[in-house]
């Protein structure tokens, strides 16, 4: 459960990216956050993943008030969130498998169990046979799927993705969306920021639209 | 606990891999650290050897008490009793007759001694106090000189004082050197680790976003600093070993010419361990400062 109340975010220099945004997202819900460029979608995702803090208002994620969260508690919050970025943020000095292993190394899982879970995640996104490939050798769609594998390997309760299909062709974008739908079907809350929130055929999806930092619908 | 060990072991492995990934720069850093540690360590070792040399020189600890030539047997016996009470079994008596015999035994002295009308030598006590600090010897000398029938107390305290002052000055200089080189070692580690942090900035950013604690991010860099410092300590111990091995024969030969059995002492095993531990600790400090600063800048 995520509850945002009267959220405001003002950056140094005075730019107000979010203005009194209030919303509720139930556990297991799939939400698309739409809006034109600069509407505040990415800012809202940064607040949800505690990369930034709101200037005012309150934001409760999985029962934790992010406004009052201590810096030392942030890593433990993020271990329950799967973050997927538009630029993927993959590490190109290691293999696809090693990229997926990183979150498991962080939580101190045994190498054997970590390898088993990382391979399972790669299998889920259809990249098991590419486990030894360097991410640079993967296509854009494959890189995005690899980023999803890394995000879900810790079995998070919430998946947060920022424009995950922005640079993908239609087929790759469909594969990526299908993955999000599949994770949502097993009760993972999925929040996707996209500039074109067209909905997903055959799927009950809520669309939240931001306009100049305010919630339009 | 198992997880804790696993994470530390993984961090150590990551640090080792990071060092091995740039072998030349790692080797150069370790050499610089090793040389920086060699100078003060060699200084301490030199002072220890000089101290041992000073302690092995009996003249440095020896005092001679000469009775007046006219001293009566009673006065000599009194002096003997007083000495036994003051410094039990730390003295020996040389009678004037024995002293004359010893003088006679010296080459070319027999004739001269025979030509003397009477024995000019006094009874004497050779004293070797257990506590041979300059202050104690000075105090002892005043006490002995005040006894009845004592003509002269000979103490080479000036030489001892000079030697002691030299050792003190040497120790101070080496301490200053150690502080300067420790700062240098911290600076070298600081810079190396800073470069490693900058090179791994992307990984740090990603790790933070997916739930890495500050400890997880810092740990490999700490181990990197400890490894470099510790290996630097081993290099320093090796350099000192090579130096001692090279100098030992010449020093032994020189000592023999002076009738001494003095031999240069190298680093003992606890000293080597201390050197490695010091290197590791200073490496850790350098890494700690570097990582804290770099991570703060990255935030």
């Amino acid at each position: 459960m995520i509850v945002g109340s009267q959220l405001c975010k003002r950056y140094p220099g005075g730019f107000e990216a979010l203005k009194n945004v209030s919303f509720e997202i139930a556990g297991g819900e799939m939400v698309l956050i739409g809006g034109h460029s600069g509407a505040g979608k990415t800012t809202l995702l940064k607040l949800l993943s505690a990369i930034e803090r709101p200037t005012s208002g309150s934001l409760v994620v999985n029962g934790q008030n992010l406004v009052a969260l201590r810096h030392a508690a942030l890593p433990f919050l993020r271990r329950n969130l799967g973050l997927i970025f538009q630029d993927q943020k993959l590490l190109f000095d290691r293999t696809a498998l090693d990229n997926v292993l990183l979150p498991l190394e962080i939580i101190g899982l045994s190498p054997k169990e970590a390898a088993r879970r990382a391979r399972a995640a790669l299998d889920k996104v259809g990249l098991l046979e590419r486990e030894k490939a360097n991410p640079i050798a993967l296509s854009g769609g494959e890189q995005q799927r690899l980023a999803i594998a890394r995000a879900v390997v810790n079995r998070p309760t919430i998946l947060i993705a920022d424009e995950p299909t922005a640079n993908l062709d239609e087929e790759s974008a469909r594969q990526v969306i299908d993955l999000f739908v599949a994770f949502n079907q097993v009760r993972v809350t999925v929040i996707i920021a996209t500039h074109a929130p067209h909905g997903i055929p055959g799927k009950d999806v809520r669309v939240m639209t931001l306009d100049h930092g305010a919630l339009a619908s | 606990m198992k997880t804790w060990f696993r994470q530390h072991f993984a961090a150590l492995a990551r640090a080792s891999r990071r060092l091995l990934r740039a072998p030349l720069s790692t080797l150069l850093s370790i050499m610089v650290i090793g040389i920086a540690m060699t100078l003060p360590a060699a200084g301490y070792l030199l002072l220890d050897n000089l101290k041992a040399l000073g302690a092995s020189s009996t003249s440095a600890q020896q005092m001679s008490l000469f009775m007046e030539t006219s001293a009566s047997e009673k006065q000599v016996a009194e002096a003997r009793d007083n000495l036994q009470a003051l410094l039990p079994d730390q003295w020996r008596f040389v009678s004037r007759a024995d002293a004359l015999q010893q003088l006679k035994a010296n080459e070319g002295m027999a004739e001269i001694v025979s030509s003397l009308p009477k024995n000019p030598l006094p009874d004497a006590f050779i004293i070797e106090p257990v506590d041979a600090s300059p202050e104690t010897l000075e105090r002892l000398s005043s006490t002995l000189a005040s006894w009845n029938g004592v003509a002269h107390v000979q103490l080479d305290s000036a030489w001892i004082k000079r030697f002691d002052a030299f050792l003190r000055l040497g120790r101070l200089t080496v301490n200053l050197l150690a502080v300067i080189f420790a700062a240098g070692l911290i600076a070298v580690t600081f810079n190396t680790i800073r470069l490693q942090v900058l090179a791994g900035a992307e990984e740090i950013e990603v790790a933070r976003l997916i739930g890495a604690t500050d400890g997880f991010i810092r740990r490999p860099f700490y181990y990197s600093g400890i490894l470099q410092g510790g290996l630097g300590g081993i290099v320093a111990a090796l350099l000192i070993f090579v130096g001692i091995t090279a100098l030992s024969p010449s020093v032994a030969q020189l000592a023999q010419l002076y009738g001494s059995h003095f031999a240069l002492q190298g680093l003992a095993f606890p000293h080597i361990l201390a050197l490695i531990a010091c290197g590791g600790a200073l490496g850790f400090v350098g890494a700690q400062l570097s990582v804290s600063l770099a991570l703060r800048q990255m935030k």
Side-chain angles (χ1 to χ4, degrees), chain B residues 212-279:
Chain B
T213 57
D214 268 6
F216 179 87
I217 292 166
R218 286 164 179 260
R219 228 172 276 137
F221 297 110
Y222 289 166
Y223 275 112
S224 195
I226 292 169
L227 279 176
Q228 284 184 68
L231 289 170
I234 293 174
V235 168
L238 281 173
L239 288 175
I240 289 171
F241 173 76
V242 170
I244 292 282
T245 309
L247 289 174
S248 275
S250 308
V251 170
Q253 206 175 11
L254 187 68
Q256 222 166 22
L257 291 174
Y258 282 93
S260 164
H261 296 292
F262 175 75
L264 272 181
Q265 295 299 309
L267 290 172
F269 188 64
H271 292 148
I272 296 173
L273 287 184
L275 206 53
I276 294 169
C278 273

Side-chain angles (χ1 to χ4, degrees), chain B residues 142-171:
Chain B
S142 310
T143 307
L144 301 185
S146 67
W147 291 351
N148 272 342
V150 172
H152 176 59
V153 178
Q154 186 176 302
L155 163 67
D156 199 359
S157 64
W159 185 87
I160 296 170
K161 275 181 180 170
R162 273 199 297 271
F163 186 69
D164 202 57
F166 170 78
L167 283 183
R168 270 206 296 267
L169 179 68
R171 196 157 287 277

Side-chain angles (χ1 to χ4, degrees), chain B:
Chain B
M1 200 64 177
K2 210 172 163 185
T3 305
W4 187 88
F5 275 117
R6 192 181 294 132
Q7 289 194 324
H8 276 264
F9 183 74
L12 179 61
R14 268 204 299 279
S16 308
R17 277 199 300 273
R18 203 170 274 159
L19 291 177
L20 289 172
R21 219 176 287 158
L24 187 65
S25 73
T26 300
L27 189 69
L28 287 174
S29 296
I30 290 170
M31 284 303 291
V32 169
I33 291 169
I35 292 165
M37 290 182 77
T38 300
L39 294 170
Y44 283 123
L45 195 61
L46 176 72
L47 288 175
D48 278 351
N49 273 291
L50 284 175
K51 205 173 167 187
L53 180 67
S56 71
S57 168
T58 51
S59 64
Q61 305 172 24
Q62 199 169 288
M63 295 171 79
S64 302
L65 183 154
F66 298 103
M67 301 300 290
E68 287 167 358
T69 46
S70 58
S72 65
E73 277 182 26
K74 193 184 165 206
Q75 282 175 322
V76 173
E78 252 177 36
R80 182 181 292 157
D81 293 344
N82 288 343
L83 261 180
Q84 185 57 24
L86 193 65
L87 303 162
D89 302 327
Q90 295 166 48
W91 56 273
R92 65 191 160 87
F93 178 66
V94 181
S95 69
R96 49 192 307 199
D98 289 346
L100 193 69
Q101 283 306 314
Q102 282 173 23
L103 192 63
K104 252 185 191 174
N106 286 348
E107 204 177 304
M109 294 300 285
E111 272 181 43
I112 299 170
V113 170
S114 303
S115 66
L116 292 171
K118 62 173 187 169
N119 184 355
L121 300 174
D123 289 320
F125 294 90
I126 309 299
I127 304 160
E128 289 179 15
V130 175
D131 180 2
S133 64
E135 298 77 20
T136 309
L137 293 181
E138 196 74 40
R139 221 172 24 246
L140 189 62
S141 168
S142 310
T143 307
L144 301 185
S146 67
W147 291 351
N148 272 342
V150 172
H152 176 59
V153 178
Q154 186 176 302
L155 163 67
D156 199 359
S157 64
W159 185 87
I160 296 170
K161 275 181 180 170
R162 273 199 297 271
F163 186 69
D164 202 57
F166 170 78
L167 283 183
R168 270 206 296 267
L169 179 68
R171 196 157 287 277
L172 184 67
T173 310
V174 173
N175 282 344
L176 286 173
L177 257 181
V179 170
I180 291 166
F181 281 103
L185 193 153
I186 290 173
V188 170
T189 318
F190 180 93
N191 197 43
T192 314
I193 300 294
R194 192 174 150 270
L195 292 175
Q196 283 180 8
V197 173
L198 293 178
E202 207 179 355
E203 182 183 343
I204 291 170
E205 187 200 351
V206 171
R208 269 184 171 157
L209 289 172
I210 60 180
T213 57
D214 268 6
F216 179 87
I217 292 166
R218 286 164 179 260
R219 228 172 276 137
F221 297 110
Y222 289 166
Y223 275 112
S224 195
I226 292 169
L227 279 176
Q228 284 184 68
L231 289 170
I234 293 174
V235 168
L238 281 173
L239 288 175
I240 289 171
F241 173 76
V242 170
I244 292 282
T245 309
L247 289 174
S248 275
S250 308
V251 170
Q253 206 175 11
L254 187 68
Q256 222 166 22
L257 291 174
Y258 282 93
S260 164
H261 296 292
F262 175 75
L264 272 181
Q265 295 299 309
L267 290 172
F269 188 64
H271 292 148
I272 296 173
L273 287 184
L275 206 53
I276 294 169
C278 273
L282 291 170
F284 173 78
V285 172
Q288 227 260 350
L289 292 173
S290 181
V291 173
S292 297
L293 188 71
L295 291 186
R296 201 178 309 143
Q297 284 170 345
M298 283 167 74
K299 271 179 196 169

